[in-house]
């Protein structure tokens, strides 16, 4: 994952209703976490998100700032690891989603 995507990955955790399973569907369609974050409702639905979840996300993301979440993570010394990061725990890769 591109480091520029990390704030957006953290922001999805803040939203809480779009997790790894949804993101695995959306990433091929949109290309990056940032692109998913900025996608239109129709792009989200085309990428595999249920219409009601796409509506909820589009409404909620106006209240969530990926940049502010990332600043809080850095201030608290919280490290975010993507699954393709060499430091990501191998056993977590084997867990069922």
């Amino acid at each position: 994952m591109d480091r520029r995507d990390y704030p957006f990955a953290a922001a999805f955790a803040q939203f809480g209703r779009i997790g790894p399973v949804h993101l695995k569907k959306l990433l091929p369609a949109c290309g990056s976490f940032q692109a998913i974050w900025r996608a239109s409702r129709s792009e989200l639905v085309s990428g595999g998100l249920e219409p009601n979840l796409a509506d909820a996300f589009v409404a909620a993301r106006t209240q969530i700032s990926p940049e502010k979440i990332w600043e809080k993570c850095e201030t608290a010394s919280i490290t975010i690891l993507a699954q393709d990061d060499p430091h990501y725990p191998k056993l977590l890769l084997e867990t069922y989603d």
Side-chain angles (χ1 to χ4, degrees), residues 72-85:
K72 287 180 183 179
C73 289
E74 287 185 326
T75 299
S77 298
I78 296 171
T79 301
I80 295 175
L81 296 175
Q83 289 183 341
D84 62 353
D85 188 298

Side-chain angles (χ1 to χ4, degrees), residues 5-6 12 25 29 40 59 62 74 82-83 85 87:
D5 262 353
Y6 279 50
F12 281 110
K25 289 181 189 176
S40 68
T62 62
E74 287 185 326
Q83 289 183 341
D85 188 298
H87 296 101

Side-chain angles (χ1 to χ4, degrees), residues 1-85:
M1 176 189 322
D2 187 311
R3 300 290 290 172
R4 293 174 288 189
D5 262 353
Y6 279 50
F8 297 94
F12 281 110
Q14 179 75 31
F15 175 63
R17 293 180 56 197
I18 296 178
V21 173
H22 288 113
L23 292 170
K24 283 180 185 177
K25 289 181 189 176
L26 291 167
L27 274 170
C30 296
S32 69
F33 285 94
Q34 184 175 7
I36 297 168
W37 189 265
R38 295 185 173 151
S40 68
R41 178 197 183 277
S42 63
E43 290 170 323
L44 293 168
V45 172
S46 293
L49 217 56
E50 298 86 2
N52 61 336
L53 183 54
D55 290 337
F57 173 66
V58 168
R61 72 179 169 195
T62 62
Q63 305 299 314
I64 301 171
S65 170
E67 294 79 13
K68 286 183 182 176
I69 292 169
W70 186 248
E71 287 173 14
K72 287 180 183 179
C73 289
E74 287 185 326
T75 299
S77 298
I78 296 171
T79 301
I80 295 175
L81 296 175
Q83 289 183 341
D84 62 353
D85 188 298

